[in-house]
Amino acid sequence: MHDTGTVSQSAPTPGSPAPAPTQGPASAQKGQPPSPEREGGSRHARRFGLPVATALVMGNIIGGGIFLLPASVAPYGTVSLVAFGVLTIGAIALALVFGRLAQRDPRTGGPYVYVREAFGDFAGFLAAWSYWITSWVSNAALAVTAVGYLDVLLPLHDSPWLMMTAALVVQWLPALANLAGTRYVGVVQLVSTVLKFVPLLLVAIGGLFFFDPDNLGPFQATEGSALGAVSASAAILLFSYLGVESAAVSAGEVRNPRRNVGRATVLGTLGAALVYLLGTLAVFGTVAHDKLLTSSAPFTDAVNAMFGGTWGGAAVACAALVSIVGALNGWTLLSAQTAYAAARDGLFPARFAVKRRGVSTFGVIVTVVLASLLTVYNYMAGTARVFEILVLVTTFTATVPYLLATAAQLYFLLSGQSDRVRPARLARDAVLALAAFGFSMWLLAGSGYAAVYQGVLFLFAGVLVYAWMSARRARA
């Protein structure tokens, strides 16, 4: 039986004061890397191997958005494939940086752990708070998206009550898998990743045999420079790679994390990039450009063009549902793991630091309840305006931990901590960190003025929570 995770200190029990945390920079100067976390074993808790960790990364990167991406970037022409290539390079650089950081500190928490160690409690809290907001708001968005695909298979007749019920069921099923333990989380993630990639690869690879260059349309379909077209299409594609940090966030649940987290991060990112590029290219080559511009289901149109008939809609809807359930399963775990890591250090309420079956059950419940409340509000209010604003905010909050984590890597490299960074890798790691930092800045810029403005408000609303937790620790 494998241990479920590692903690540098024992988790506080509910109601007991959290232990006082050590400051990040001070702990980094002790010369000893953090020891792996240890937790009581359970037959329901099992550490993830490389395949499951890779599936977690791929499953979280690829949600339901891939099924609309080709139509979203079609107005810019095939130049959008160049944008895909540029973004893939940036995402790989970010993946490699997370792999390096996980080698140095393989604890559960990912960006939060690295940022806190480098810059102290407050910066670490902002990273955890930002990532936590992202996860449960994104879960609500994924569930609402799933209802759109479910309507193809089980007509809901535009009934708000039926749609709301379906969205809640889609959220709670992955949450129940999380509550059952990491063993079942891994099984669901691996199975859903395999099931989603079968139809996606069918289109991506099968489309090459039906590829017609006449369907591609112009290389650049917009006015202005090619660089401007690349930047414009990249703004739409930027957030297709959110989730590269998934293995790092759950490092404490990964077997041999110093070795496997980096590999899973890079392999998962490469796998997702391959599906994105081949899938988009196949749709471009099988669906006429003028039709693709107005398509609401480009993969369905591609399947129908390849094999005839109208069964493509049901097939793609099934694939999308499996994809979204897998993403919900993974993001629910990451939300609980981030809160657990912060609670372990006294920066989130102590209840989040209690694990059962390898999972913070309180963290899972809070995540799914908040996402459910947001979903109910979306349907009861009769308008998606507030919901859309919140989803837009997550494009900012998801990127803040990336920016802080890459800055932490630069701090470790430049502060002369030879016990943390091998001298022979210094130049290469510095170049990777700078590239990842630039990529993160690009992500922030691509989210738009409104998202940055409102995202900052959400981010600093957490300062009150930090003040409350700091006061509790001071009294203790």
Side-chain angles (χ1 to χ4, degrees), residues 153-222:
L153 304 173
L154 301 172
L156 302 176
H157 305 296
D158 294 325
S159 168
W161 289 102
L162 287 177
M163 296 172 71
M164 181 177 69
T165 301
L168 293 176
V169 170
V170 169
Q171 288 180 61
W172 278 89
L173 287 178
L176 293 176
N178 274 263
L179 292 173
T182 52
R183 175 180 181 178
Y184 299 98
V185 173
V187 170
V188 171
Q189 199 64 32
L190 191 59
V191 171
S192 64
T193 300
V194 172
L195 289 179
K196 89 165 69 171
F197 274 85
V198 169
L200 288 174
L201 288 176
L202 175 65
V203 174
I205 298 175
L208 300 179
F209 295 96
F210 297 88
F211 193 90
D212 184 355
D214 293 336
N215 288 328
L216 291 176
F219 176 73
Q220 181 183 342
T222 58

Side-chain angles (χ1 to χ4, degrees), residues 86-374:
V86 174
L87 289 174
T88 298
I89 294 173
I92 293 298
L94 188 60
L96 289 170
V97 168
F98 277 123
R100 293 283 186 267
L101 288 167
Q103 285 180 350
R104 183 183 46 76
D105 194 338
R107 289 178 295 167
T108 293
Y112 156 75
V113 171
Y114 318 139
V115 173
R116 178 176 177 268
E117 185 179 347
F119 306 124
D121 285 348
F122 183 64
F125 171 82
L126 289 181
W129 176 260
S130 182
Y131 197 83
W132 184 67
I133 289 175
T134 299
S135 58
W136 60 264
V137 176
S138 296
N139 276 11
L142 284 169
V144 172
T145 303
V147 171
Y149 290 108
L150 184 63
D151 192 46
V152 176
L153 304 173
L154 301 172
L156 302 176
H157 305 296
D158 294 325
S159 168
W161 289 102
L162 287 177
M163 296 172 71
M164 181 177 69
T165 301
L168 293 176
V169 170
V170 169
Q171 288 180 61
W172 278 89
L173 287 178
L176 293 176
N178 274 263
L179 292 173
T182 52
R183 175 180 181 178
Y184 299 98
V185 173
V187 170
V188 171
Q189 199 64 32
L190 191 59
V191 171
S192 64
T193 300
V194 172
L195 289 179
K196 89 165 69 171
F197 274 85
V198 169
L200 288 174
L201 288 176
L202 175 65
V203 174
I205 298 175
L208 300 179
F209 295 96
F210 297 88
F211 193 90
D212 184 355
D214 293 336
N215 288 328
L216 291 176
F219 176 73
Q220 181 183 342
T222 58
E223 298 180 356
S225 66
L227 181 61
V230 169
S231 298
S233 56
I236 297 175
L237 301 171
L238 278 172
F239 307 100
S240 302
Y241 286 105
L242 293 180
V244 297
E245 75 293 341
S246 301
V249 173
S250 295
E253 322 308 326
V254 178
R255 288 197 296 269
N256 192 5
R258 296 184 192 275
R259 176 176 179 268
N260 285 334
V261 167
R263 292 188 175 190
T265 302
V266 173
L267 290 174
T269 305
L270 283 173
L274 182 65
V275 171
Y276 279 152
L277 288 168
L278 287 181
T280 303
L281 180 61
V283 173
F284 277 4
T286 53
V287 181
H289 183 257
D290 57 346
K291 182 178 180 180
L292 190 58
L293 291 174
T294 58
S295 175
S296 60
F299 273 81
T300 295
D301 294 335
V303 171
N304 290 338
M306 289 162 57
F307 304 108
T310 58
W311 56 273
V316 171
C318 289
L321 284 172
V322 170
S323 180
I324 292 172
V325 169
L328 282 166
N329 181 64
W331 280 106
T332 300
L333 174 67
L334 297 191
S335 175
Q337 299 290 51
T338 300
Y340 159 79
R344 178 190 59 197
D345 297 323
L347 301 182
F348 266 40
R351 288 288 299 275
F352 286 99
V354 179
K355 278 190 174 184
R356 293 184 178 86
R357 299 167 176 156
V359 177
S360 170
T361 53
F362 184 75
V364 170
I365 292 172
V366 170
T367 294
V368 71
V369 167
L370 288 174
S372 297
L373 290 174
L374 181 56

